[in-house]
Amino acid sequence: MNRILIVDDEEILRMLICDTLEEFNFTIDEADNGLDALNKMQQNSYDLVFLDYMMPDLTGIEVIEKLSPEYKENTPIVMLTAKAQESDRQIAMEKGAKYFISKPFSPIKLISFVEELSNA
């Protein structure tokens, strides 16, 4: 796992994720809205995408809907959200997210999660 895209309209959260993961020597790209995320995902390949559920322009769900089935199959998408309802989780998974992390989350949990994916 080398390249990660972090998509969230909250700059503080993007910084937290970047700071947490920088010790792993990943190449990290950022997007602050759904449209920018979609453009980056169409132009680059990522080993992992952290995608916020609720954003301006396009929601995380709308971004996933616009991706090709191959992209969704080959790129683990982690939905990050304050929407912790089971129905929200089901929608995200049905659309193509492979994982779901509720906000707020601890940096330790994030590190464990990425390490687990890296070793899989």
Side-chain angles (χ1 to χ4, degrees):
M1 188 173 306
N2 298 319
R3 192 167 191 166
I4 297 176
L5 176 62
I6 301 167
V7 185
D8 200 299
D9 56 326
E10 294 179 44
E11 183 178 3
I12 301 288
L13 187 62
R14 287 194 322 272
M15 286 173 42
L16 170 69
I17 297 171
C18 285
D19 289 348
T20 301
L21 298 179
E22 79 180 355
E23 70 182 74
F24 291 96
N25 297 320
F26 296 121
T27 300
I28 298 177
D29 291 340
E30 297 178 50
D32 63 1
N33 63 68
L35 267 172
D36 189 27
L38 188 60
N39 288 334
K40 287 182 184 215
M41 293 166 85
Q42 290 171 338
Q43 294 172 10
N44 303 291
S45 72
Y46 292 98
D47 298 300
L48 180 62
V49 175
F50 288 99
L51 182 61
D52 187 17
Y53 200 108
M54 297 180 292
M55 293 181 295
D57 299 325
L58 295 174
T59 67
I61 296 296
E62 291 169 329
V63 169
I64 293 173
E65 288 175 333
K66 293 181 181 301
L67 296 171
S68 71
E70 295 81 24
Y71 195 99
K72 291 185 268 192
E73 181 66 31
N74 296 319
T75 307
I77 298 172
V78 181
M79 187 65 67
L80 299 173
T81 185
K83 293 174 67 100
Q85 302 278 338
E86 183 58 32
S87 59
D88 297 320
R89 176 189 288 273
Q90 285 179 326
I91 290 168
M93 300 305 226
E94 286 170 9
K95 295 299 180 181
K98 292 207 173 55
Y99 306 96
F100 193 93
I101 297 178
S102 297
K103 295 178 188 176
F105 52 86
S106 75
I108 293 168
K109 180 179 179 179
L110 188 67
I111 289 169
S112 300
F113 178 79
V114 171
E115 284 178 335
E116 190 175 306
L117 278 180
S118 296
N119 295 328

